[in-house]
Amino acid sequence: MSDALPERQTDIGPPDYKQFLPPVVAKNYGKWKYHERISNAMMVHVGESGDKCYTVRAASPRLISTDFIRDLTKMADKHCGGFLRFTTRNNVEFLVDDENKAKALEKDLRDAGYMLGGIGDTISNVVHTQGWVHCHSAATDASGLVKVLMDEFADYFTGKKGLPARVRLAVACCTNMCGAVHCSDIAVVGIHRKPPRINDEEVKKACEVPSTIASCPTGAISPNPAAKSVKIKEDKCMYCGNCYSVCPALPISDPENDGVAVVVGGKIGSLRSNPKFSKLVIPFLKNNPPRWPEVTAAFRNILTVYEQGARKHERLGEWVDRIGWEKFFALTKIPFTHQHIDDFTIARETFRASVAFKW
Amino acid sequence: MSDALPERQTDIGPPDYKQFLPPVVAKNYGKWKYHERISNAMMVHVGESGDKCYTVRAASPRLISTDFIRDLTKMADKHCGGFLRFTTRNNVEFLVDDENKAKALEKDLRDAGYMLGGIGDTISNVVHTQGWVHCHSAATDASGLVKVLMDEFADYFTGKKGLPARVRLAVACCTNMCGAVHCSDIAVVGIHRKPPRINDEEVKKACEVPSTIASCPTGAISPNPAAKSVKIKEDKCMYCGNCYSVCPALPISDPENDGVAVVVGGKIGSLRSNPKFSKLVIPFLKNNPPRWPEVTAAFRNILTVYEQGARKHERLGEWVDRIGWEKFFALTKIPFTHQHIDDFTIARETFRASVAFKW
Amino acid sequence: MSKKTYATPLLDQLEKGPFPSFVTEIKRAAKRSDASNDLLGILERCYNDKKTHWKHGGIVGVRGYGGGVIGRYSDVPEEYPGCAHFHTVRVNQTSGFFYTSKALNDICDVWDKYGSGLTNLHGSTGDLVLLGTNTDALEPIFAELSSRGWDLGGSGSAMRTPSCCVGPARCEWSMIDTLDINHELTQAFQDELHRPAFPYKFKIKTAGCGVDCIASVARADLSLVGTWKGDIQIDQAEVANYAKAGMNIQAEIVDMCPTGCISYDGKAIKIDNANCSRCMHCIAKMTKALRPGKERGATILVGAKAPFVIGALMSHVIVPFMPLEPPYDNLKDLITKMWEWWDEHGKNRERIGELIVRRGMREFLEHMELDPIPQMVFEPRRDPFYFWTEDELK
Amino acid sequence: MSKKTYATPLLDQLEKGPFPSFVTEIKRAAKRSDASNDLLGILERCYNDKKTHWKHGGIVGVRGYGGGVIGRYSDVPEEYPGCAHFHTVRVNQTSGFFYTSKALNDICDVWDKYGSGLTNLHGSTGDLVLLGTNTDALEPIFAELSSRGWDLGGSGSAMRTPSCCVGPARCEWSMIDTLDINHELTQAFQDELHRPAFPYKFKIKTAGCGVDCIASVARADLSLVGTWKGDIQIDQAEVANYAKAGMNIQAEIVDMCPTGCISYDGKAIKIDNANCSRCMHCIAKMTKALRPGKERGATILVGAKAPFVIGALMSHVIVPFMPLEPPYDNLKDLITKMWEWWDEHGKNRERIGELIVRRGMREFLEHMELDPIPQMVFEPRRDPFYFWTEDELK
Ligand code: SRM
Ligand code: SRM
Ligand code: SRM
Ligand code: SRM
Ligand code: SF4
Ligand code: SF4
Ligand code: SF4
Ligand code: SF4
Ligand code: SF4
Ligand code: SF4
Ligand code: SF4
Ligand code: SF4
């Protein structure tokens, strides 16, 4: 790269995707007929033309160095004519048009230490967020949680162990939920458990009072005109941290009391059942870095009970809906607490208005 | 009855029910084994003891004269040792302990012109309210609507025509819903379509301003301190009339614009599916007394489509849930309007957050 | 008073048709009663004008009671003087709506003497409703009725007249003594029934089983519903009889079981009781073959009401299983406790169900000393927005 | 600057285990970058303190743009000067996340020169995220990238970087050209993407079918999802092959069809297409035997978002079927119209889904000139509380 800056351009948008499509993709674009899973690391898509496109998928930690990317591009240059793609869950996909090429590619990837898998009914990569690596709002780390979860469930990624259906994990480091926590099979979200601390001087300088007040889901914030700041009714605050997003002078993080909550049963696709929101199952686990053993154990417990109980193709939320939440709590032995009972905007819809339930 | 008043007593509560139980009931109390339906007018309950209790059920318009009651008691004296009961849907039941007695009773009732039926998968009597006979709040009459509906569906009461399952009707003359409209298979409720008219002088005299304000579900009412009265933001008012319940100086009834709405799909029991709320299907039909032909036609239409589509034992709401509301509207040819889309407290839960629906 | 004769062309059309006619009933009463006669007139007028001619009731009642009578006045008193006052007297019905001729005739006698001769058997809450009298007649009516063993029902911000399904009196599925519970509660809370002192009305309905023939889950602030523990009792011979009689057991029973816990091999039925939600479908449709399990009690639910102000609510589970045996002290304590909390926090015209929604289940359950359990909810909350007490943080 | 060496005993434990380690990645970058080196230090500190050491970002960016960079500063700048500034550059990814080695290497070159050498491929919204640089480097980075054909993605109260599933590029079910739609929308709305002028963020995600591999229904203000009209195409020979290969068609397909519209007689499958809800289950599980119908288009849904402030929302149907062919003017018009309404009525930090909840579907639909239809709702409203316009009363 030369030292003089080239001429900047604006509003050009992303480059045209067409130039990045591997030839077999470009040729069969929109004309695929079916696909077959060869393993949990490899699948083949067959075109109306009879052409085949083999995909090999490798895990990525998402937070990657340029070295990692250069390694990938080298692999793509060697096997795939320099083409590669990423998935919506941050895995890397290499596409080739011939079975032998695919096998060679797979071997090379394995030899280079890549973890292959994520195709089919697996635990694929975790949708996640910034955490302590980059965000001011984080109540927990994200990358660390992803790492320990994927270590724990590596066999479910590679396909060594099977599952009734896909199990989609997500991690969000705060209740802004930049991850897909609110619609995931099993997910974890960072939470606080103490109200924000008000720095009146700073509020005055840095914050817009009306939008700070409006940010509070429970209406706990009111103006404090004397101090040109705000007041927080502590017994109405449920520590969501939204006010802190809007006003930096309301720090809420608190190492003693921050941690994570586990939610389960969400899904996105409309197959079989409508998309579902995740539901709270463990209101709090402490932050126990670097490996959060309580979190991995909790996920393991839930996964095991699901695996044993679910029917083929049944997603976690569908299984719970079939057996009922009372059974879910009984089977997982997770204690049911006041925190589980909704008291927010649609609470009434969650109260059991029926005499039909299981003991 | 003598002219001198007897001594009044207070807080005695109702008489002990035990003295009113027919002997076969008293004897087999809590020890019934099973029952069998003999017809839609007669059933038999069999005790562990082998005793039998035959029930014959007759329709009543509920709004009845003492003459009607005396006729009933005469019948009870003749056939049932003077015992009789009413059902939770205002039918009359005569109970005897022997089949021949039951037959004689049935014959006598029929000869006297009683309409017998309501047992099993029928359209039984209509749960309803006061209407123009007695209530200040009524947007429609109740007894009249019941009469025309039961005339229309008489064959479904008597059992001449069968049904997949019970169809429970209800009528409420205003949105206070003293009937069971909110959880009925097909029901009708009186509604207004114009805001209340404010009589400032009367509000001042007769109404408590804070509770009038609090009564408004949409927050449309605010104080009018100048007039010691209230103001109504007309574009927030959805004509529910709750303010009028609290404050007589806010009359809302308006012959031109009052009428009824039809709701369907509610149920109460927990059999098969959880209890269900009724849903709006026809936002408005005009008041067309004395026989409300538009209402009976609407009910007939819905009933016919249900009858044709439902499975045995499937309640109306269960059938709709199975086929989907989009199919319900297609099959009944009822137009779908802005009024059908919820904009009240749980609106968001009713929006179709799924791509799975039928054309 | 010499009787007016009203032309009632509109109402007359409601005497046609197979269903018994309330118009005929009014006419029958009108023969003896001026009030009912004028009711005919005013009602025809309502039909004509398409609007009600009744005004808000003032407070009327009997000495020492704050409820039991609904005051009603017409807005055209001069034209229909017989029903210028047209108050309703709510008489507390019997448990299960059982009567003798004698008892009903007694009431008719009183009502013919002092009232319109028109009644509702029964009102939606359950009362035996005497429809239409004037203020002066209230004390005499009450004296006549109470001396004969009848008392008034509820109205206003009070406990309302409790009611129940026919239950053990004539139903094989009743798992609690609905009639007795209903009677005992009515008796125990006479003061709360007659002297409104609550934030708003409070209704109690008792159903012997989940079929809920008294609509308790939809229409009562407190819903008591019989249920069982233990296995559904199966009589396989009767199962075979149903099959022989033409029942499609697979379609009608197995496939309709919401939990999928029944199987049928063409001969016998098997039930996975641990997964049965006790919905009552199979039992109701095969009453000779299937019976509830042997340990009996009630599920207690709270909070149903009509749509005002925040949308209709149904009652929701707060105690999944409570044994209910006389004198039902456990139940009475529960009710009293519930009222305490509602009394303290409820706003004017706020039902207990609305209060629970407003202040949250936690506060309610804590006051009730009930532990949270999953049976209380269809599903846990979605969002991670919840409170912690200082205690819980330790 | 001479490099500090940090002991990272906690982070080191995250280099163990089979899954590739982000700590290893940071260490690799740290070899060349002070910023990444100091990131190691600060991150170890976060792990130690169990709290973040990042502060709110100020507004930083490139000339002429209002977004695309997330400013970030540490709260311990003296101790970790290399990452005192640690801004993120969001580079607009390609449609479908397809790249060539050349393209990625170009970006790596720029990033190694001006940034930390750390990236996210990709961010949750879809951007190619360059993680950690300082304010001074922003303009050079932008010049280098844009001259090579790359532009920034969105941030702030703007249209955010749209994204899509792999779609027609490598999926047999895609019923719309997800890549092209995504690209065209991104290009058409460059101004809205780069210059925040909305009440809040606006995300667009395009999925080729109801399987929704891009999570559009859960995570986009505007969700475009491919679908079809007409009958599902069946290849009965392939059905037989699935059966032969051991698939339990009854259990896995017929019994799992949510509408119960499939039957199977052991030989052939029959589908009652009028009752199919196009959920995609059967097609996804029998991809060789079943294919969507032939008329293709998209269902348009609106409103998904994370839980603040009123609880999470998913997108809901506003147009059940819209043919989508280049240049997609119908879609662009729809979007522009939607923004108009939101712009006019949305409060600061109010997403369009929240606005629809607040002001009601009616106002939104009327503005959009869309007729209400049952496909827009799971069920009609419960309560009888609704508005009438003067027109409707006529
Ligand atoms: C590559 C990717 C799209 C992309 O543009 O990158 C993709 C690709 C495919 N998906 Fe997907 N899905 C991808 C993310 C998703 C997501 C989104 C997410 O996870 O956040 C979902 C929604 C999950 C949910 O509902 O919560 C998703 C739910 C599915 C399903 C539905 C599973 C179910 O029954 O619920 C199928 C159908 C199936 O496998 O039967 C499917 C099927 C497929 C097929 C078989 C489609 C095809 O014919 O090509 C593709 C093969 C992949 C495989 O892994 O077996 N894909 N798929 C994404 C891979 C992510 C990854 O690395 O793991
Ligand atoms: C007499 C009465 C109770 C009372 O205390 O008065 C009663 C009595 C019985 N009901 Fe009921 N139900 C009575 C109101 C109700 C109600 C309440 C209501 O309608 O407001 C319901 C709830 C309706 C709902 O869910 O919306 C009700 C839902 C049922 C059902 C459930 C039907 C279903 O499958 O959804 C059964 C079970 C069955 O028939 O299979 C049932 C069954 C029965 C049985 C067979 C119970 C028994 O073994 O004795 C009784 C025979 C009646 C019949 O009509 O076939 N009864 N039944 C009520 C008669 C009202 C009437 O005159 O029509
Ligand atoms: C007589 C009766 C209707 C009937 O024809 O059967 C009735 C009649 C009235 N009801 Fe009711 N309600 C009657 C059962 C009900 C029921 C059904 C039930 O109890 O199972 C409900 C729905 C369930 C519930 O309680 O929510 C009901 C919900 C209301 C409401 C709405 C309450 C709420 O919280 O939303 C009002 C409004 C009010 O209290 O101001 C109301 C108010 C009234 C008033 C007192 C009108 C008023 O605003 O002052 C009506 C007097 C009419 C009159 O002139 O006689 N009535 N009311 C029922 C009582 C008879 C009895 O004692 O047996
Ligand atoms: C980088 C990214 C997470 C990641 O690691 O991938 C991210 C990071 C941030 N998000 Fe996000 N969001 C990211 C995708 C999402 C998503 C997922 C999605 O887009 O599919 C969501 C949930 C969906 C949604 O939009 O509702 C999401 C919901 C939020 C919210 C809550 C918005 C709401 O309406 O509730 C906030 C709060 C805010 O806007 O102030 C937020 C705010 C933030 C901020 C800007 C923090 C803040 O309050 O200023 C984070 C900057 C972190 C940092 O230091 O880099 N982020 N954010 C994602 C964007 C990368 C990219 O451009 O590709
Ligand atoms: S989830 Fe919260 S902490 Fe994590 S990246 Fe998003 S805003 Fe930051
Ligand atoms: S943390 Fe959340 S609940 Fe507490 S004051 Fe801030 S915005 Fe309100
Ligand atoms: S529903 Fe309304 S009008 Fe009818 S009786 Fe009840 S309060 Fe009166
Ligand atoms: S009629 Fe209803 S909505 Fe209108 S002002 Fe009165 S209470 Fe409010
Ligand atoms: S509720 Fe149950 S116990 Fe009571 S009558 Fe109905 S079926 Fe019998
Ligand atoms: S009671 Fe209901 S859930 Fe239990 S076995 Fe019978 S049908 Fe199934
Ligand atoms: S959303 Fe549909 S079209 Fe897109 S990749 Fe997934 S399965 Fe294929
Ligand atoms: S797409 Fe879904 S609803 Fe349609 S036939 Fe297949 S499984 Fe059934």
Side-chain angles (χ1 to χ4, degrees), chain B residues 127-132 134-143 145 170-182 187-192 238-246 252-253 258-261 263 287, chain C residues 52 56 72 124 200-201 306-308 349, chain D residues 383-386:
Chain B
V127 169
H128 69 282
T129 49
Q130 296 297 325
W132 292 334
H134 202 265
C135 197
H136 65 285
S137 193
T140 189
D141 190 34
S143 308
L145 277 163
V171 170
C173 23
C174 84
T175 47
N176 274 331
M177 284 202 188
C178 302
V181 161
H182 65 301
V188 67
V189 52
I191 60 162
H192 308 284
M238 41 61 175
Y239 341 108
C240 68
N242 203 32
C243 52
Y244 174 62
S245 277
V246 174
I252 187 167
S253 87
D258 292 350
V260 302
V263 298
N287 267 331
Chain C
T52 186
H56 267 70
R72 186 64 68 226
S124 284
Y200 204 4
K201 56 187 82 169
F308 288 117
R349 278 173 57 89
Chain D
D383 55 274
F385 299 158
Y386 35 84

Side-chain angles (χ1 to χ4, degrees), chain A residues 1-3 5-17 20-22 25 29-30 32-36 43 45 48 55 59-71 73 76-77 82-86 88 90 93 115 125 127-128 130 132-136 141 143-144 147-148 150-151 154 175-178 180 182-183 211 217 240 242 244-246 248 253 255 268-272 274-277 287 289-292 312-313 344-345 349, chain D residues 10 13-14 16-20 22 25 28 32 39 43 47 49-52 54-56 63 65 72 86 88 92-101 103 105 108-110 112-114 117-124 131 139-140 142-144 146-151 166 168-172 177 179-180 183 186-187 190 194-195 210-215 218-219 252 256 258 279 281 285 287-288 291 306-312 314 349 378 382:
Chain A
M1 242 188 284
S2 93
D3 264 9
L5 279 184
E7 198 173 343
R8 80 205 286 272
Q9 294 186 271
T10 66
D11 299 279
I12 58 171
D16 192 338
Y17 59 94
F20 300 124
L21 300 177
V25 164
Y29 193 91
W32 299 104
K33 201 168 165 199
Y34 66 87
H35 76 277
E36 265 172 337
M43 61 183 164
H45 283 75
E48 313 267 16
T55 301
S60 153
R62 190 183 82 135
L63 171 46
I64 53 182
S65 63
T66 48
D67 309 77
F68 189 93
I69 301 175
R70 291 184 208 271
D71 287 346
T73 61
D77 285 337
F83 293 95
L84 77 170
R85 79 174 288 267
F86 294 81
T88 61
N90 309 313
E93 289 185 339
M115 182 170 163
N125 217 334
V127 170
H128 70 280
Q130 296 298 327
W132 293 335
V133 171
H134 202 266
C135 198
H136 65 286
D141 189 35
S143 309
K147 167 71 177 146
V148 299
M150 289 308 291
D151 281 347
T175 47
N176 273 331
M177 284 202 187
C178 302
H182 65 302
C183 294
S211 48
C240 67
N242 204 31
Y244 174 63
S245 278
V246 175
S253 87
I268 295 164
S270 289
L271 300 89
R272 298 172 304 281
N274 291 326
K276 291 181 207 295
F277 286 111
N287 267 330
R291 294 200 67 98
W292 285 267
K312 192 165 181 186
H313 304 315
F344 199 45
T345 37
E349 295 295 296
Chain D
L10 294 174
Q13 294 183 52
L14 290 171
K16 293 174 195 151
F19 192 72
F22 72 101
E25 292 304 310
R28 288 172 89 181
R32 283 167 290 115
L39 178 68
L43 189 58
Y47 268 67
D49 296 353
K50 300 190 196 174
K51 69 179 281 243
T52 187
W54 301 106
K55 296 196 301 180
H56 267 71
R63 220 171 353 110
Y65 278 14
R72 186 65 68 227
F86 203 64
T88 280
N92 198 138
Q93 86 291 2
T94 56
S95 265
F97 312 103
F98 280 95
Y99 297 97
T100 55
S101 294
N105 291 341
C108 290
D109 291 345
V110 175
D112 281 337
K113 185 164 174 198
Y114 294 102
L118 284 172
T119 72
N120 286 154
L121 264 76
H122 292 82
S124 285
L131 207 67
E139 279 298 335
F142 183 61
E144 296 280 6
S146 66
S147 63
R148 284 173 176 77
W150 297 95
D151 202 342
V166 68
R170 200 213 41 209
C171 178
E172 64 270 37
D177 191 340
L179 283 73
D180 200 49
H183 188 71
T186 312
Q187 292 294 352
Q190 280 291 302
H194 297 305
R195 293 168 200 92
V211 169
D212 202 354
C213 297
I214 189 71
R219 278 156 58 194
E252 293 183 42
M256 282 192 153
C279 83
H281 172 73
K285 307 305 172 193
T287 175
K288 289 169 115 170
R291 308 187 70 184
F308 287 117
V309 181
I310 58 167
M314 287 197 247
R349 278 173 57 90
F378 283 129
R382 299 173 188 172

Side-chain angles (χ1 to χ4, degrees), chain B residues 29 36 67 70 134 141, chain C residues 32 47 86 112 177 288:
Chain B
Y29 193 92
E36 265 171 336
D67 309 76
R70 291 185 209 270
H134 202 265
D141 190 34
Chain C
R32 283 168 287 114
Y47 268 67
F86 203 65
D112 280 339
D177 192 340
K288 287 169 115 169

Side-chain angles (χ1 to χ4, degrees), chain D residues 225-246:
Chain D
V225 183
T227 195
W228 73 91
K229 287 187 169 178
D231 292 356
I232 291 179
Q233 307 173 57
I234 312 182
D235 180 338
Q236 300 290 4
E238 291 292 349
V239 171
N241 283 338
Y242 276 106
K244 227 180 295 162

